[in-house]
Amino acid sequence: MAPASIPVVLIPGWMDTASKMEAMAKHLKKQGFSPVIVSPQPSDGSAPIETLAAQALAEIDAQLEPESAFDYVGFSMGGVIGRVILHWLGGKKRIRRFVTISTPHRGVYVAAVDLAACSASDADGRPFHRGAEPASRRFHRRSSPLHLDAARPDDSAAREFCAPHR
C-alpha cells in the first residue's frame, strides 16, 4: 500500500477534461494513493501553457494545503503544464515524483501552425521544450504509440503539412 498522505495530482491533456483521468484515479485509490484530478481549461490550445499552469497550481493549492508535497502525473499537454509548474512556478520544492504520459516534450509541428499555447517560449525567446531540463533523475517519460493528439516531431507526414517551430 502507498502512503495516503502524499497526493497524486493528475492533469489531462489537449482537448481533455477531468473525466480522462478518472480511471487512473480509481486505480490509484485502490492502491492506497490519494489522487486529485485537476483539469485546467480551456484545453483546446486557445490559452497559453503558462496560464493553464498557473490555473492548475491555484487549483492544486485550493485542494491541498499550499506548499504541501505531491506526486504529479501529466497526460499529453498535462505533462507540458507540469513542466511549467516544475521549472517556472516553484514546483521543484513540492513535486516529489514527476511522471508524464505521451507528452510531446520535443514540441509538435501543429504548435507552429495553429496552437500558440503549445509553442510557449522561455524568457530568452527559446521554445519551451529547449529551455526546460528535468529537475532530477525522478523525471520519467513514457510514450504510447496509440497517442494521437500530437504528431511526432520527426514524422515525415507531419513535416509535409506543417512548418517546424523555430
Side-chain angles (χ1 to χ4, degrees):
M1 281 290 185
S5 61
I6 301 296
V8 180
V9 173
L10 307 172
I11 298 193
W14 183 57
M15 302 298 287
D16 288 330
T17 62
S19 65
K20 175 68 112 186
M21 305 305 276
E22 287 175 359
M24 184 180 292
K26 185 177 179 181
H27 176 75
L28 288 170
K29 193 168 193 157
K30 284 182 183 177
Q31 300 300 313
F33 291 93
S34 300
V36 175
I37 300 174
V38 174
S39 182
Q41 296 295 321
S43 64
D44 62 2
S46 64
I49 291 291
E50 298 88 347
T51 300
L52 296 174
Q55 183 187 116
L57 189 57
E59 188 168 336
I60 291 167
D61 286 343
Q63 292 193 43
L64 310 175
E65 289 191 29
E67 305 304 317
S68 63
F70 58 90
D71 293 340
Y72 185 99
V73 177
F75 173 71
S76 183
M77 188 170 74
V80 179
I81 290 168
R83 287 180 64 180
V84 172
I85 293 169
L86 187 69
H87 296 287
W88 295 348
L89 300 179
K92 288 181 184 180
K93 298 174 189 168
R94 300 178 63 188
I95 298 175
R96 290 179 350 124
R97 292 187 201 112
F98 183 77
V99 179
T100 65
I101 303 166
S102 298
T103 296
H105 292 287
R106 296 181 65 201
V108 293
Y109 286 112
V110 175
V113 176
D114 191 32
L115 302 176
C118 293
S119 61
S121 59
D122 66 15
D124 297 323
R126 296 175 298 191
F128 175 74
H129 64 272
R130 295 182 191 270
E133 297 299 327
S136 71
R137 294 176 196 256
R138 295 176 296 163
F139 184 90
H140 301 281
R141 179 172 185 247
R142 166 170 265 168
S143 295
S144 165
L146 300 177
H147 179 58
L148 303 175
D149 285 349
R152 288 190 349 250
D154 60 344
D155 184 20
S156 61
R159 277 197 300 271
E160 285 184 56
F161 296 103
C162 304
H165 179 72
R166 297 206 190 282

